[in-house]
């Protein structure tokens, strides 16, 4: 691991955990299928596959599982790209292993995320 990588993973994990926790109840996490090929086995019945994406509805039990996996094994580092959709709107977009993360102002608690995670977020205007 290169200098600074541990801190970067830690910042990404903290953002991912907050994002999942604050996501609206009807939101869905869309993960591109070019991500870690072990995700379908790990996520099991929590996910469905559609149009080349793995989709996880963010019901509370799924949120709890995702947070647990992020804390235990940096789950978010296994995604190539992921998107959080709510009512047909992309409220979070993450590209290239969280190298670029965009958060729409319509995300609940947007000011909190912006303030707490401004160190690595590129925010949609």
């Amino acid at each position: 691991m290169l200098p600074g990588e541990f801190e970067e993973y830690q910042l990404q994990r903290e953002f991912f955990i907050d994002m999942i926790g604050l996501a609206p109840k009807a939101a869905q996490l869309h993960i591109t299928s070019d991500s870690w090929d072990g995700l379908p086995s790990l996520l099991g019945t929590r996910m469905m596959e559609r149009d080349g994406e793995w989709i996880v509805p963010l019901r509370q039990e799924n949120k709890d599982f995702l947070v647990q996996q992020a804390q235990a094994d940096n789950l978010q580092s296994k995604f190539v790209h992921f998107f959080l959709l709510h009512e047909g709107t992309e409220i979070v977009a993450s590209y290239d292993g969280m190298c670029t993360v965009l958060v729409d102002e319509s995300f609940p608690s947007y000011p909190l995320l912006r303030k707490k995670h401004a160190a690595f977020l590129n925010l949609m205007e």
Side-chain angles (χ1 to χ4, degrees):
M1 190 175 288
L2 296 173
E5 278 188 339
F6 177 77
E7 292 82 9
E8 185 176 342
Y9 283 129
Q10 200 169 14
L11 290 172
Q12 290 172 351
R13 181 178 58 240
E14 289 170 8
F15 170 79
F16 182 79
I17 288 169
D18 284 348
M19 176 201 71
I20 293 298
L22 295 169
K25 289 181 184 178
Q28 295 179 328
L29 179 65
H30 291 241
I31 307 162
T32 58
S33 60
D34 57 348
S35 298
W36 177 54
D37 60 0
L39 280 172
S41 294
L42 177 68
L43 296 172
T45 59
R46 292 175 183 86
M47 63 152 269
M48 59 189 140
E49 188 169 356
R50 185 175 59 217
D51 299 327
E53 292 183 329
W54 300 320
I55 302 167
V56 181
L58 292 181
R59 297 183 295 270
Q60 190 59 50
E61 61 271 12
N62 290 349
K63 285 182 172 189
D64 294 343
F65 179 81
L66 293 169
V67 166
Q68 177 187 40
Q69 291 302 310
Q71 290 170 331
D73 195 27
N74 281 323
L75 175 67
Q76 75 289 342
S77 69
K78 297 172 179 5
F79 304 158
V80 175
H81 313 294
F82 70 82
F83 309 93
L84 194 63
L85 276 69
H86 181 249
E87 297 178 349
T89 300
E90 192 174 279
I91 58 175
V92 176
S94 173
Y95 301 98
D96 302 322
M98 293 185 76
C99 286
T100 301
V101 178
L102 304 170
V103 180
D104 189 77
E105 291 178 0
S106 67
F107 185 90
S109 302
Y110 172 82
L112 173 68
L113 281 181
R114 180 179 181 162
K115 182 178 180 180
K116 186 173 178 182
H117 301 287
F120 74 92
L121 287 177
N122 294 310
L123 301 170
M124 293 179 182
E125 296 299 329

